[in-house]
Amino acid sequence: MSLLERLKAAARDDWTGYVDHAFVRGLGDGTLPASAFRQYLVQDYLFLIQFARAHALAAGKARTLADMRAAKEGLAAIVDVEMQLHLRLCERWGLTAAEVEATPEHAATVAYTRWVLDIGMSGDLLDLQVALTPCTLGYAEIGRRLAPEGAGALDAAHPYREWIGEYAGEAFQSVAAGAHAWLDDLDRRYGSPARFPELVAIFAKAARLEAGFWQMGLDAA
Ligand SMILES: Cc1ncc(CN)c(N)n1
């Protein structure tokens, strides 16, 4: 069993509370209020800036060139791909990058991002990657669930088609597959049965903070 599968099994309720949150169901069936999505979108851009820092921190924590390259892939996926999607979506919602960047961070954004950065500062690369795993692999799972037949099969009139398509699409799924393989590789080198409970606690907390992030969007509706 991969480390991800073991972590999900050990933190099942927290994982389900995240990937099956009411926000996600609303995204899937298109019933999510626009005000909830807008709040999410703005805060998620601010979130990604901090998560880019966390991926850069992973490069700094790396002890091998291969790990540094893997961290760089995660950083590039955020800065060069995901943030561009957000800018396109923001534009469509009448928001400029400058306006979004000038928006104050919500408490849920600060709570999640600064906690991950703290895990990265105080722990090792495996701790940090476990803290980052619900972010990348959770969205990949959500993307596959919301578009089981692929991004191209989504209804053209679906209000959240572009968002779902991004996470269900090949580029993001391939980044997620790489992160999944890297996590197992780190676990083989740095993991141990003694460390597992601590890793579960990190993973479960990240999943709860993800659920809190969705809830922050819903609360704005
Ligand atoms: C809150 C959150 N979590 C995860 C992702 C996917 N990188 C995201 N964009 N935003």
Side-chain angles (χ1 to χ4, degrees):
M1 238 203 238
S2 73
L3 178 59
L4 174 66
E5 283 162 359
R6 284 182 285 133
L7 290 168
K8 280 166 60 171
R12 192 175 305 284
D13 289 351
D14 290 319
W15 185 256
T16 304
Y18 160 37
V19 296
D20 197 29
H21 194 277
F23 188 104
V24 176
R25 279 183 265 127
L27 272 175
D29 63 18
T31 60
L32 182 73
S35 52
F37 187 70
R38 188 187 173 95
Q39 165 78 353
Y40 161 81
L41 191 61
V42 170
Q43 288 299 317
D44 205 47
Y45 190 80
L46 302 174
F47 165 94
L48 288 173
I49 294 171
Q50 299 305 322
F51 259 52
R53 294 179 61 216
H55 283 273
L57 178 58
K61 287 265 162 180
R63 293 194 199 156
T64 70
L65 211 49
D67 285 338
M68 216 177 283
R69 284 201 188 94
K72 186 203 75 173
E73 293 300 319
L75 176 60
I78 290 183
V79 174
D80 297 337
V81 183
E82 215 179 335
M83 292 185 82
Q84 301 313 312
L85 161 80
H86 280 57
L87 283 181
R88 280 200 311 276
L89 287 172
C90 283
E91 219 171 88
R92 197 125 42 75
W93 289 67
L95 297 157
T96 65
E99 277 167 336
V100 176
E101 282 170 29
T103 304
E105 288 176 296
H106 190 280
T109 311
V110 174
Y112 188 6
T113 58
R114 301 321 192 274
W115 170 78
V116 168
L117 285 164
D118 184 58
I119 290 287
M121 292 298 285
S122 58
D124 71 356
L125 190 52
L126 178 58
D127 290 317
L128 178 53
Q129 281 312 118
V130 167
L132 290 169
T133 287
C135 167
T136 311
L137 297 181
Y139 270 49
E141 181 172 317
I142 289 166
R144 289 193 299 273
R145 175 132 49 85
L146 299 188
E149 271 134 52
L154 288 168
D155 180 349
H158 194 300
Y160 302 114
R161 181 177 194 264
E162 192 170 0
W163 188 94
I164 297 170
E166 175 72 17
Y167 293 106
E170 203 169 316
F172 190 82
Q173 291 293 327
S174 153
V175 166
H180 195 168
W182 187 33
L183 184 69
D184 278 333
D185 182 38
L186 289 172
D187 184 44
R188 269 190 296 278
R189 284 180 285 145
Y190 302 123
S192 68
R195 278 192 76 174
F196 184 67
E198 211 176 286
L199 298 180
V200 171
I202 292 172
F203 181 83
K205 178 153 181 164
R208 288 195 300 277
L209 288 163
E210 285 282 2
F213 203 85
W214 295 134
Q215 193 57 46
M216 172 261 301
L218 275 191
D219 289 347

